[in-house]
Amino acid sequence: HIDLNFGCPVPKITRKGGGAALPLHREQFPRLLESAVSAAAGIPVTIKIRMGLDAEFQYYLNIAQLAHTFGIHALTLHARTADQFYAGEARWGAIRRVVQAVPELPIIGNGDVWTAEHALSMLQQTGCAGVGIGRAVLGRPFLFARFNALFSGRVLPPYPVLREVAAIARRHLELMVHYYPEAVAVRRLRKHWKWYFQGFQDARRWMPQLMQAERATEVEALLRKMNSREPYPLAEIWMPRGKRGKQPKVVLPESLRRGLATGRFDITPVTGSGG
Ligand SMILES: Cc1cc2nc3c(=O)[nH]c(=O)nc-3n(C[C@H](O)[C@H](O)[C@H](O)COP(=O)(O)O)c2cc1C
């Protein structure tokens, strides 16, 4: 399928009217959906949106209706507004509301799912058709095995111990070096090592070297030294990772800002901010 992302809140994108600002284009947005579905010639088109711009200007119910009208196959709702970026809790209540408002459109709920059990809670609480997971899997590719097991009714595989996490990290290194020049791969992986090993006491002594290593062979050797059976640090599992920098303001092009101020948009604000 082809997924179109209208959830990006960063100023570089919204300043030009893109990302989370795109659904505000009253005339162009429906045309965009229509053209995408038509050009895809039978390949399912799905979209991803946020709830809206901010607490006052929420468009998700209208966009879901529009998406259904134009033949979009499924919609992922990141249950935050653009001005929240990644802060605050995702509002699963909004996922439930859109499921109820447009029952024909499969909704994929997204926001603050950190474990497999938690994904199941989202399904049960909201009635959504699927769950989208972002930050929880940074440094935790093994979580997919737990999601799979849960959704197919099998016993969940245990969380890996340190030496198993290090083995997964070595595979990640191997793949990165396969796809990128060595120097690029090693540099790009540095942020991932923080995610993989955050909270493991036995990994701490190797981290400074791991963050400075330049060669894949050095990295590999350091990862092999992380060979203890220290249990996975579950206390850390709920701690947000990735996208934790400062929260900028949502920036819109002047024309859109004026349109919002004068109410020239037919996307009706939805009262309440979900919950
Ligand atoms: C590092 C990072 C990169 C992301 N890149 C994209 C992207 O390219 N496209 C997209 O639709 N969402 C992207 N997202 C947003 C996630 O898909 C997701 O909507 C968001 O993180 C909320 O879900 P979560 O609470 O499970 O993290 C990104 C998130 C992170 C942390």
Side-chain angles (χ1 to χ4, degrees), residues 107-165:
I107 302 295
I108 297 164
N110 172 232
D112 287 349
V113 169
W114 298 101
T115 64
E117 296 82 349
H118 207 205
L120 196 60
S121 305
M122 179 189 267
L123 287 176
Q124 287 164 346
Q125 286 176 33
T126 68
C128 61
V131 175
I133 296 139
R135 293 163 300 166
V137 290
L138 296 173
R140 300 186 187 123
F142 57 83
L143 274 185
F144 288 108
R146 291 178 59 88
F147 290 122
N148 270 342
L150 192 75
F151 289 116
S152 45
R154 285 181 281 116
V155 176
L156 270 61
Y159 280 94
V161 298
L162 177 58
R163 60 188 299 169
E164 290 162 338
V165 171

Side-chain angles (χ1 to χ4, degrees), residues 49-246:
I49 60 168
R50 288 188 176 233
M51 291 164 64
L53 266 195
D54 52 33
E56 265 128 90
F57 206 90
Q58 298 186 23
Y59 48 53
Y60 67 106
L61 294 176
N62 309 70
I63 297 300
Q65 190 58 60
L66 202 63
H68 176 57
T69 307
F70 284 104
I72 295 294
H73 272 69
L75 177 147
T76 301
L77 178 65
H78 177 184
R80 284 192 175 83
T81 50
D83 73 334
Q84 285 185 281
F85 285 79
Y86 292 83
E89 268 183 35
R91 287 138 178 187
W92 290 9
I95 300 171
R96 190 180 59 241
R97 269 193 291 283
V98 73
V99 166
Q100 288 167 355
V102 194
E104 308 87 349
L105 181 67
I107 302 295
I108 297 164
N110 172 232
D112 287 349
V113 169
W114 298 101
T115 64
E117 296 82 349
H118 207 205
L120 196 60
S121 305
M122 179 189 267
L123 287 176
Q124 287 164 346
Q125 286 176 33
T126 68
C128 61
V131 175
I133 296 139
R135 293 163 300 166
V137 290
L138 296 173
R140 300 186 187 123
F142 57 83
L143 274 185
F144 288 108
R146 291 178 59 88
F147 290 122
N148 270 342
L150 192 75
F151 289 116
S152 45
R154 285 181 281 116
V155 176
L156 270 61
Y159 280 94
V161 298
L162 177 58
R163 60 188 299 169
E164 290 162 338
V165 171
I168 296 168
R170 290 204 305 274
R171 174 72 178 139
H172 196 163
L173 171 69
E174 191 186 345
L175 289 170
M176 285 292 280
V177 172
H178 178 77
Y179 287 107
Y180 295 98
E182 181 180 354
V184 175
V186 168
R187 235 177 301 123
R188 286 203 184 163
L189 279 167
R190 286 180 186 155
K191 64 181 175 200
H192 292 268
W193 303 146
K194 288 194 193 149
W195 292 325
Y196 274 107
F197 301 114
Q198 187 181 329
F200 275 115
Q201 294 306 316
D202 294 351
R204 285 178 69 166
R205 57 189 286 223
W206 309 112
M207 289 308 284
Q209 281 169 273
L210 198 57
M211 300 309 286
Q212 281 166 15
E214 301 279 352
R215 306 298 310 261
T217 48
E218 281 174 77
V219 174
E220 149 104 41
L222 287 163
L223 292 173
R224 282 195 186 279
K225 290 182 179 168
M226 297 185 184
N227 62 359
S228 86
R229 293 181 192 278
E230 182 182 347
Y232 197 82
L234 288 177
E236 306 259 343
I237 208 126
W238 303 89
M239 284 172 62
R241 42 182 54 198
K243 308 277 188 197
R244 282 184 307 150
K246 98 177 189 339

